[in-house]
Amino acid sequence: MDYEKILAEFELDGKPVSCDTFGNGLINNTFLVTTDRGKKYILQRVSEEAFKDVPALMENISGVTEFLEAKARAEGTEAHVIGPVRTADGSTFVREDGYFRVTPFAENTISIEAPETDDDFHECAVAFGTFISDLADYPAETLHETIPNFHNTVDRFRIFHEALERAEADPELAPRIEEAKHEIDFALGRESEAGILQEMRESGELPTRVTHNDTKLNNVLLDAKTRKLRYVIDLDTVMPGLAHYDYGDCIRFGASTASEDEKDLSKVECDMHLFEVFTRGFISACSDLSDREIEMLPLGAKTITLELAVRFLTDYLDGDRYFATKYPGHNLARCRCQMQLVRDMEKKWDEMNRIVASLVK
Ligand code: GN1
Ligand code: MG
């Protein structure tokens, strides 16, 4: 990649002197850039496999960051989002052999893969809960759907069935069906219940809000010293959605006792203490959630975990085209780990509901 040519188009403070791979994202390619004036930036090539209309995605991001920055200015506080660096002609991206964008690097912040303390997780709950409530008056109809049906679990199952049929017909991929036999059965056995939230969204029983939709813990930057919220990052999938998507993905990732791709399934559980810490923080930050929305939060956690398990399985059956993998079978390992979490949530279902009920005002 000719990064000098690409970076030259952006209004940077100084001349770039280094550009190195950075971070743990599974979709975009991310680099840390340093300039001769000691300034740092994040350069990303946005995945066109995932995002079919990158200019529309960038329009969402500038719209949302400008909105939140204006709100913070009016309240005399700091915005918790980072807007894009523009090019000399005012664009938020450069098109070369792909789409590239730049954001200032957030100095003195850390991104965490697991909460070290309850306070870390509480801070993430407040980060994402506030994100939703701050965007409650955002003109949602102006947002582009950067990935159509992103958290439509019913549609995710439809795509899974298609991948299964493709794999059956492809001698190179067919052995993967045998390899993933148990996981395919696990998914099929839960297909009917996987659509409940989607139905409730379509019927209007649960309100559509502007949501982040990719609320892994490592998409929150905490202050390195105080460990308080600095920024919510990765705004690629900000779209109309359910609060349950954001809540659910955070529980899936952050309340798990193991990493997302842990192979030793005996280590994988949904920690009920962390579940409670997060739920309390989320409900207090997103204070206009209805009783019905709160009541359905456990189903959000379970549905989003099952949905991602099915997405990993689909990608495995498809020959690993969507998620970046580090070894053959990585997507299947991720799928098994997520399914183990679902199993554990099913075991703890009554307890999850009890905790949530105890937190309703
Ligand atoms: C992807 O790229 P990253 O790490 O932000 C994915 C999420 C998954 C996550 C699983 C656009 O997120 O939906 O939950 O991997 N993002 C997209 O780690 O598909
Ligand atoms: Mg992302």
Side-chain angles (χ1 to χ4, degrees), residues 4 7 26 181-182 217 235 242 267 280 282 289 340:
E4 280 181 26
L7 288 168
L26 302 188
K181 205 167 67 199
H182 294 300
L217 230 53
L235 306 179
L242 295 178
K267 292 186 180 153
R280 179 178 288 119
F282 190 79
L289 290 178
Q340 179 62 27

Side-chain angles (χ1 to χ4, degrees), residues 224-236:
K225 266 211 197 95
T226 63
R227 292 184 93 95
K228 291 285 172 206
L229 166 66
R230 289 283 301 283
Y231 301 108
V232 168
I233 58 168
D234 191 355
L235 306 179
D236 294 339

Side-chain angles (χ1 to χ4, degrees), residues 207-227:
T208 295
R209 299 167 175 274
V210 174
T211 49
H212 181 285
N213 297 306
D214 187 4
T215 56
K216 285 204 287 206
L217 230 53
N218 56 18
N219 281 334
V220 175
L221 300 185
L222 300 179
D223 187 279
K225 266 211 197 95
T226 63
R227 292 184 93 95

Side-chain angles (χ1 to χ4, degrees), residues 24-28 50-51 147 150 213-214 216 219 234 237 249 252 260 308 311-312 322-323:
N24 296 326
L26 302 188
I27 306 294
N28 300 322
F51 302 105
I147 300 181
F150 189 56
N213 297 306
D214 187 4
K216 285 204 287 206
N219 281 334
D234 191 355
T237 49
D249 205 35
R252 171 192 78 74
E260 187 175 80
L308 188 62
R311 291 175 62 199
F312 284 143
Y322 186 88
F323 295 105

Side-chain angles (χ1 to χ4, degrees), residues 90-154:
S91 175
T92 55
F93 61 88
V94 162
R95 169 137 222 204
E96 272 293 323
D97 57 330
Y99 286 96
F100 292 85
R101 64 172 175 216
V102 171
T103 42
F105 176 75
E107 298 277 2
N108 306 315
T109 63
I110 51 164
S111 119
I112 50 174
E113 294 298 321
E116 275 175 29
T117 62
D118 290 358
D119 286 347
D120 281 356
F121 207 28
H122 173 80
E123 208 53 29
C124 294
V126 171
F128 287 120
T130 309
F131 187 83
I132 294 179
S133 59
D134 281 349
L135 289 173
D137 53 345
Y138 190 82
E141 67 287 352
T142 63
L143 283 172
H144 307 280
E145 223 183 329
T146 56
I147 300 181
N149 291 313
F150 189 56
H151 284 309
N152 178 344
T153 314
V154 177

